[in-house]
Amino acid sequence: MILEEISKAIGELEEDLLFQLINEYLSVDPSAQKAQEIIAYCQKGTKEVGEKYHMGEYFVGDLIYSGELLTEVIDLLKPLIIREPDIYIGKILLGTVQGDLHDIGKNIFKSMCEAAGFEVLDIGIDQQVSTFVQKVREFKPDIVGMSGVLTIAIEAMKGTVDGLNKAGLRDGIKIIVGGNSLSEEAADYIGADAFSLNANDGVQICIDWIECPKYK
Ligand code: B12
């Protein structure tokens, strides 16, 4: 019930109500699980913002505002979902691909990977193929995560995988892509090993790849 209200509050850009509801929901049980439920429902709410924008009911300013609200929510919830690991279970290089400036989903995935015990190098938004290639060389990740929500991100992701191939770096790594514009067909076309529209599932895939004894 409260979760639905949270979703509606972010969808209607009601900042005060949103944070009042979040605090109310967390007051009983401020756990990582509750924080993740809140994120999932906020995501649902921002989808409505996107739809209203698409239908001409909302403007770009509203998109920006909803993005800011979601970022504020993540910042508030971060302490609940992140803990310092004793030892890293693997390395993930993460970035939003060229042409795409959206990073809210990437940041959620990053926080969840860190919470699971991965060392994450976040190279930021709008990253060229050459930057991915250079950073993979330097950081030597086990996994490369690419994020993007624009339709054009699919081509940029494919270009990045091709670039890693050309540089001879593809074989030693797993590649996972995420963001709302993706599908299984798109992931095949890109040449990724996996895709996910949900940060939680994405982290689980990465854990399975690493085969960490801690999770057996
Ligand atoms: C907020 C927002 C913005 C903000 C972004 C702020 C920011 N810092 O990110 C601002 C205002 C800047 C913006 C700009 C634009 N936006 Co915009 N935006 C949105 C909005 C409302 C929400 C996106 C979002 O953050 N969703 C919530 C996150 C949590 O979801 P997510 O990204 O999918 O992430 C989840 C999973 O996919 C996954 N995940 C994400 N990354 C990864 C990576 C890995 C490796 C894994 C495993 C998982 C994973 O985990 C996350 C959590 O579960 C969407 C609407 C929508 N329906 O999504 C439009 C939307 C994405 N934008 C859109 C458009 C058109 C634009 C603009 C072109 C608008 C304009 N005319 O200027 C520009 C483009 C700028 C650019 N070059 O990128 C369109 C895209 C259409 C398309 N298919 O290409 C959408 C769909 C709106 C619409 N319906 O028209 N936008």
Side-chain angles (χ1 to χ4, degrees), residues 19-210:
F19 285 97
Q20 186 192 315
L21 289 165
I22 290 176
N23 286 324
E24 194 183 320
Y25 192 64
L26 288 176
S27 63
V28 187
D29 172 20
S31 62
Q33 198 202 326
K34 295 281 176 217
Q36 283 172 10
E37 285 170 10
I38 291 170
I39 291 170
Y41 275 81
C42 283
Q43 236 179 292
K44 198 173 145 207
T46 57
K47 272 196 183 137
E48 275 153 36
V49 173
E51 275 150 29
K52 285 184 183 165
Y53 166 74
H54 215 58
M55 288 158 69
E57 222 177 293
Y58 275 173
F59 301 103
V60 174
D62 298 315
L63 272 188
I64 296 173
Y65 188 45
S66 75
E68 285 171 358
L69 286 180
L70 197 50
T71 307
E72 268 182 65
V73 171
I74 305 292
D75 286 347
L76 176 78
L77 300 177
K78 245 185 189 170
L80 296 180
I81 53 179
I82 295 193
R83 57 165 179 74
E84 282 293 312
D86 316 328
I87 187 164
Y88 290 119
I89 61 167
K91 288 163 93 173
I92 300 182
L93 180 114
L94 179 65
T96 301
V97 292
Q98 189 163 18
D100 199 325
L101 307 178
H102 295 81
D103 66 355
I104 296 168
K106 168 181 72 61
N107 295 343
I108 295 174
F109 179 66
K110 177 186 174 188
S111 299
M112 291 191 179
C113 287
E114 287 176 337
F118 284 99
E119 181 183 6
V120 183
L121 176 65
D122 180 358
I123 61 171
I125 54 172
D126 191 15
Q127 289 302 328
Q128 297 182 359
V129 176
S130 57
T131 311
F132 270 95
V133 169
Q134 185 199 331
K135 295 292 176 186
V136 166
R137 267 208 189 99
E138 289 168 12
F139 185 59
K140 300 186 178 33
D142 305 292
I143 298 167
V144 171
M146 288 187 264
S147 183
V149 294
L150 298 178
T151 313
I152 56 159
I154 294 172
E155 275 309 320
M157 286 176 178
K158 181 172 168 41
T160 308
V161 175
D162 291 348
L164 290 169
N165 253 320
K166 267 192 211 136
L169 295 166
R170 175 69 180 89
D171 285 347
I173 50 171
K174 290 282 193 186
I175 297 182
I176 184 164
V177 291
N180 238 343
S181 60
L182 295 167
S183 61
E184 197 156 350
E185 283 109 330
D188 282 348
Y189 171 73
I190 290 163
D193 297 299
F195 91 103
S196 175
L197 301 181
N198 171 302
N200 249 332
D201 296 348
V203 173
Q204 194 50 55
I205 293 169
C206 294
I207 289 171
D208 291 346
W209 280 340
I210 293 294

